[in-house]
Every structure is written in C-alpha cells, then in structure tokens.
Amino acid sequence: MKFTQLELRRIHLELVTPFRTSFGEQTAREILLIGITSDDGTVGWGECVAMSEPLYSPEYVSGVETMITEFLAPRLTQRGDVIAGDVADILRPIKGHQMAKAAIEMAVLDAELRSGGINLHTRFGGTRDTIPSGVSVGIFSSIDALLSAVQGYVDDGYARIKLKIEPGWDLEPVRLVRELIGPEMGLQVDANTAYTRQDFDHLRQLDMYDLLLIEQPLDTDDLLGHRDLAAAIETPVCLDESIESLTQAEDAVAIGAAEIINIKPGRVGGYLEAVRIHDLCRTHDIPVWCGGMLETGIGRAANCALAALDGFVLPGDISASRRFYARDIVREPIEVVAGEVAVPTAPGLGYDLDAEFVESITTSLQHVSL
Ligand code: OSB
Ligand code: MG
C-alpha cells in the first residue's frame, strides 16, 4: 500500500483505580496512538505501549514521538509502497525502539487488513474463538485492600490472578491470596525486576504456593541469573522485560533462563515478531502467554487475536476494558464472560474506534506527511 500521512495522537485516560508495581504507581495512562492513512483513504491505527516514564523499559511516550517523527517516518517515506510484513525490515537499521516500531507496524497491519476486509484473528490463524482472561493485580498499601480487590476479580469471573510483588510484599500476600482463592485457581506473581541473585533462598519459599510462574524476578539483562534461579526453585521462571526479540527468546530458551515466556507485541517490535516467538516456543515446548500494558480496546483486540494461537497455553493479562478504564476508546469494550474474552472478528485489528471520545481526551496531535 502507499501511505500518505501519519498521525501521532496523545490521549489521556484516568485509571479506575491506582495501579502500583515494583517500579511505580500509575493513576492515569498517557497513550500515543498512531494513525496511518493510505492513498485510497483507508485508515489504520496502532497503539504504542510505551509508558510516560522509562521505568518498565527504556522507551517513553515523548521519546517515541521524537523517534517516529525524526527517524521512523522518513524510512517509510523513502520506501514508497509498504506492506506490514516489510515494516520490521524497513525500520531495522534504526537500533532498538521496539515499542515505536511495533506501533507503526500495527497501524500498517490494521490498514492492510481493513482494505482487504480481513480480520487479524483470521490472518494469524488462531483456532480458538474465546480466550481465558487473567487479571494483573497491583501492590496495595494493606493486605485487606489486596484481598478485597482479589475477591472482586474472582467475582468478576477471571480465570487466573497475577500478583505484583516486590521485597516486603511477597510471601504474605501470596499466602493469603492462595488461601482466599483456593488451591485450584491459577495464581502467578510478577516482580518487574525487583529481586537480585542474592534472593534465591527467599524466592524458593514461594514454591509452597503452587504458582503457575514467577515473572521477571531479576534484572532485564540478567539472563544467567534467571537460568540459575530456574535451576534453584521449583516455581517456573517466566521472562517479560528480558525478551525484546526472537533472537533473545532463542538464547534465553537455549540456556534454560526462560521456562515460560510472556509475549508482549510492543516489547518485541510488533505482532509479527510476537508470532515468530510463539512459533519458536512451540517447537521447544515452552509455554507462552500474552502480556498486557494497560492497552485500550485497540491493543486489547489485537492481543486477543494473538492469544488465540495454539501455543498460548496460559491465560494472558487480557482483562476487561473496565478493569482499567471507566470508558474505553472503542465502541465495543472488551468484556469478560465466564472467565473468557471473545476474540473480535471485525476487519482489521477488530475494534471500532469511538472517534468523538478519542477527540475529547486528546492532549496533543501531530501530522507527518509520508
Ligand atoms: O510487567 O506485565 C507487566 C503493566 C504495565 C507494565 C508492565 C506490566 C504490566 C502489567 C499489567 O502487569 C498488564 C495488563 O493487565 O495490562
Ligand atoms: Mg511483567
């Protein structure tokens, strides 16, 4: 396709409840949406998962804007005709910046699918029409507040609970949540790099709670530490932050540092790389699941299509839109029914943008000619 214009639109959404992780607390989400327009008038949207500050990974919203306007958009212009499958190669000379690149590829993919009348779920070839829904639960200031939040999510029907942990908020919350939800329900923890190689004996104490996995306990670049931890504890070690490409996934699996992988399309440079990592993990019998970055209905819809692939054997962090937002920017928010989310089937990524609402929460807007 030939594209004529790129739109960079920043929106601001309040969270229904503060979300605290080991790297910080958020009360609102600032999101960069990327619109791309083709010469026949088709518009595709990508949602960039970068946060306002570089606390989860090096990218951040303002940096992504600069990256796209100064370096990525000109590469698209130079190329002329573009298909989604070429975007990663076109942008490869620019080092890093996976989230910025992923947002562009996502917009191109949406436009391409819409113009062909095809849905992402169909393109990916997933065999499931619904996917199990897990919920990520933040760190609270009291155990009582945590337990009542978890009870609320259990009542909402979620299929599994993920608890954010950090030193000082781990064994006791996990013990009490396991007691609350019973032995059958899936439970896992996510440390967002909060522990060190000195903490293995401490983390081994989590083994008694029958967790599905422990996600990213050590630093992003500490692959050998994760390998050693995986050998030292029974709870399966899952990587999130550490995996930014197919190559890194291959390396982590080869050395035994990743017993499970959380696949986030934004973190690995796009949905197409995400599928390649899924395929790799299938051949190595490594379970994968789809992570989340507090996406709006755009990213949530696309994540559903990805999570419908056969290798996604664990419930993802694909919760209902209302888990984070009172009102989503799409006309059909993602909903959880009996622990499952229906994979959207509309052409493109599968969402229907509520343009008026988007306009009302836009905080900055920039257009770049391609
Ligand atoms: O580590 O998975 C993570 C949110 C923001 C940044 C990193 C993470 C998370 C979550 C929430 O855990 C996932 C979601 O429900 O969107
Ligand atoms: Mg994580």
Side-chain angles (χ1 to χ4, degrees), residues 4 10-11 13 27 37 49 60 72 84 120 130 136 177 181-182 189 221 232 254 257 260 265 298 320 337 339 357 361:
T4 57
R10 253 196 224 214
I11 58 169
L13 279 170
T27 55
T37 307
V49 299
Y60 58 99
L72 302 183
L120 185 61
T130 64
S136 176
V177 166
I181 67 179
V189 294
D221 61 3
I260 297 175
I298 299 178
V337 178
F357 182 50
I361 56 168

Side-chain angles (χ1 to χ4, degrees), residues 56 136 162 164 190 192 215 240 264 292-294 324:
Y56 163 80
S136 176
K162 162 169 138 181
K164 290 293 193 177
D190 184 1
N192 291 108
E215 183 180 347
D240 174 356
K264 286 180 185 170
M293 292 291 287
L294 289 78
F324 290 113

